[in-house]
Amino acid sequence: MNEADSQKLAAGLAKLGWDAAVTPEQADLAVVNTCVVRQKAEDRAAGYLGRLKKLKETREGSLQIAVMGCLVGPRTDELRSRFPYVDVWARPQSFEVVLRHILPEADLGGEFWPDTFPEPTGPTAFVPVVHGCNKFCTYCIVPYRRGRERSRTIEDIAREVESLCASGVQEVTLLGQTVEAYGKDLAPADDGRRADLGDLFAAIHETPGLQRIRFLTSYPRDMTERIIRSIGGLPKVCEHFNIPLQSGDDDVLAQMRRGYTIGEYVEWVQRIRDIVPSASMSTDLIVGFCGETEAQFENSLKVLDELRFDKVHVAAYSPRPGTIAWRHLEDTVPQAEKMRRLHAVEALQERIATELNAMFLDTEQEVLVEGAKEADDGETVYTGRNRANKLVHFRTGSALGTEVSIGDLVSVHISKTTPWSLQGELAGAAVTAQALSHAGP
Ligand code: SF4
């Protein structure tokens, strides 16, 4: 979400005649777009601001510093006294606050923002479709910083996707904190029905140049059967789901106010696998949440073992000031124990991912080429992702000399797998999303 926000601000600055600087030393304006979802991210932003402060001192005031994003809440008094050298504070997506500070005379009204679309930096792009979140999980700062759910209209999103694809983008990832909430706040159509994520997929599916559509992040309760069926029925929509679990224990889930039980979660996963059998799945898990006992943690391991996700993003709980958990729950699990649990999840997941990825051996996978670099032996190794969102590294192999470019959609024969990636050789000419749709292992 922050990457998309940064690109949108960059597009606004470019429209007003500003060029991107290569290094902070050459910049007239440095914008630090911040994340505070975990303490580590907040510490990194603070550390980076410290470096900019030193740079500003050597530049005799010619460098302006703006801070945007989730570090900035409705009140900035404390931030202003902590970082007095910052010139402007802007909440997430408050692009105008930054632009008005540096160019007070600029005309930002009328058609400025509706027509200001990010410039892509490669064949893939993020497109925010619903901002904010209404869920208020007890550990999470997002609803306080990004506000309540607000969906963009289908027309607005479709124009942005068209603009991106006209500049070479092949794959878009539709973003929301809970992306299936898309449309719930939009006005109903004449038939009384509100547009949902399935309608959005259908509306952008035929965009010229677009090969793949992804979506992120899912919230189990908002994932309707209608949306799942639309994913199964539209070939360009990649059948990869990221559905945060957060804990495998009902009592911990209740403390987190996640709004579902483990039984319900398992049912949702099963429903997705029934409707889209080739679906790949990743999840997010927090270990060491307030009061989490060893037995409760073991329940998380059990669920991971049973559901066998392709990937698990695991984080040790860190209290976020201002959240419900920070106000009312005690952070009881020692840091060393949190890290032990985190490593236990990683070890389990390494075994599961090894087994799941091995099923891709000797298959051909559709890969969108996103990068290339020279290996030690002088040959080029290309990198991309398959439809299941697995990282794939490949060489041209027996087709040595074949021209492969960033943005090509190619077929790769998988000859080696690890828990973290698939490796192989170019198997043939570029293929289309339709030709290899829903090709699982
Ligand atoms: S659903 Fe996600 S973004 Fe929303 S409050 Fe819960 S964890 Fe935060």
Side-chain angles (χ1 to χ4, degrees):
M1 197 65 92
N2 269 2
E3 273 186 41
D5 291 350
S6 293
Q7 282 169 12
K8 176 111 172 164
L9 177 66
L13 284 162
K15 212 168 182 176
L16 295 169
W18 284 52
D19 294 326
V22 179
T23 65
E25 285 72 21
Q26 300 163 351
D28 299 305
L29 168 72
V31 184
V32 183
N33 198 359
T34 55
C35 169
V36 293
V37 73
R38 287 185 227 155
Q39 187 61 44
K40 210 166 151 190
E42 187 169 340
D43 293 346
R44 276 176 56 199
Y48 192 71
L49 280 171
R51 289 206 291 284
L52 286 178
K53 175 181 183 252
K54 286 199 187 109
L55 185 60
K56 186 169 182 164
E57 282 162 2
T58 65
R59 295 271 304 272
E60 292 165 1
S62 68
L63 171 67
Q64 299 200 66
I65 301 173
V67 176
M68 193 168 87
C70 289
L71 185 66
V72 190
R75 300 191 51 178
T76 52
D77 328 5
E78 206 186 305
L79 288 171
R80 283 177 200 279
S81 61
R82 192 171 155 207
F83 305 101
Y85 50 90
V86 170
D87 299 284
V88 55
W89 297 93
R91 300 191 68 186
Q93 286 145 9
S94 298
F95 312 112
E96 286 197 33
V97 174
V98 178
L99 298 192
R100 286 206 186 284
H101 177 82
I102 54 165
L103 295 164
E105 306 305 323
D107 177 12
L108 305 178
E111 291 299 298
F112 188 88
W113 287 114
D115 286 338
T116 304
F117 296 125
E119 271 303 309
T121 54
T124 64
F126 292 122
V127 179
V129 300
V130 48
H131 300 298
C133 182
N134 290 357
K135 307 291 187 293
F136 287 92
C137 302
T138 55
Y139 53 82
C140 183
I141 193 70
V142 166
Y144 303 94
R145 296 296 160 87
R146 290 193 172 263
R148 301 300 173 94
E149 287 162 4
R150 298 168 321 278
S151 303
R152 296 171 63 189
T153 63
I154 286 189
E155 295 72 30
D156 184 23
I157 297 163
R159 285 195 313 129
E160 179 165 335
V161 173
E162 263 169 43
S163 157
L164 288 166
C165 293
S167 300
V169 164
Q170 317 250 0
E171 175 186 297
V172 292
T173 301
L174 307 183
L175 297 178
Q177 306 295 338
T178 59
V179 72
E180 291 85 10
Y182 177 77
K184 285 184 174 183
D185 57 318
L186 291 176
D190 292 344
D191 61 3
R193 205 180 69 77
R194 285 187 167 80
D196 68 8
L197 189 63
D199 296 303
L200 180 58
F201 288 147
I204 63 168
H205 196 263
E206 301 310 320
T207 307
L210 182 65
Q211 300 282 4
R212 285 177 170 180
I213 302 167
R214 298 189 188 276
F215 54 99
L216 199 71
T217 294
S218 295
Y219 176 72
R221 285 185 70 125
D222 287 341
M223 175 74 76
T224 64
E225 190 156 330
R226 188 175 184 281
I227 296 175
I228 303 169
R229 289 199 183 280
S230 76
I231 294 163
L234 291 167
K236 288 183 186 172
V237 183
C238 294
E239 53 283 7
H240 174 71
F241 298 74
N242 186 82
I243 318 174
L245 168 68
Q246 306 302 15
S247 169
D249 182 88
D250 280 339
D251 291 335
V252 177
L253 284 176
Q255 289 272 50
M256 291 176 165
R257 292 198 197 161
R258 284 291 290 171
Y260 51 80
T261 63
I262 284 304
E264 287 167 333
Y265 184 95
V266 172
E267 238 175 69
W268 279 309
V269 167
Q270 210 44 61
R271 192 175 310 148
I272 292 169
R273 287 178 170 163
D274 287 347
I275 299 172
V276 189
S278 58
S280 70
M281 282 187 196
S282 56
T283 195
D284 302 350
L285 187 89
I286 296 172
V287 293
F289 187 63
C290 309
E292 184 189 65
T293 63
E294 180 60 23
Q296 289 170 329
F297 168 64
E298 292 287 331
N299 284 340
S300 289
L301 290 181
K302 260 186 235 154
V303 176
L304 294 184
D305 210 12
E306 183 188 331
L307 294 180
R308 292 169 64 81
F309 293 99
D310 292 86
K311 193 166 187 178
V312 177
H313 309 107
V314 55
Y317 171 68
S318 64
R320 305 285 63 222
T323 59
I324 301 167
W326 178 77
R327 284 199 300 272
H328 300 297
L329 300 173
E330 204 183 332
D331 179 22
T332 50
V333 183
Q335 187 60 20
E337 176 58 17
K338 285 177 185 169
M339 295 318 288
R340 186 194 68 79
R341 293 180 189 182
L342 186 136
H343 295 317
V345 170
E346 286 174 342
L348 170 66
Q349 186 53 30
E350 185 173 335
R351 173 176 65 73
I352 294 170
T354 301
E355 291 163 8
L356 292 178
N357 284 359
M359 293 165 72
F360 284 86
L361 257 186
D362 273 334
T363 62
E364 286 193 12
Q365 295 296 309
E366 174 203 294
V367 175
L368 177 63
V369 184
E370 294 176 45
K373 72 173 184 195
E374 200 179 296
D376 291 345
D377 60 8
E379 231 186 272
T380 305
V381 177
Y382 298 93
T383 298
R385 288 186 184 268
N386 71 352
R387 291 179 61 91
N389 207 31
K390 302 224 179 241
L391 197 58
V392 181
H393 304 293
F394 71 95
R395 297 174 181 233
T396 45
S398 52
L400 196 63
T402 309
E403 199 74 13
V404 176
S405 304
I406 308 294
D408 280 355
L409 204 57
V410 298
S411 179
V412 174
H413 180 85
I414 304 301
S415 52
K416 186 178 171 197
T417 63
T418 73
W420 303 281
S421 69
L422 312 178
Q423 292 159 31
E425 287 186 359
L426 188 67
V431 290
T432 65
Q434 287 89 342
L436 272 183
S437 65
H438 299 183

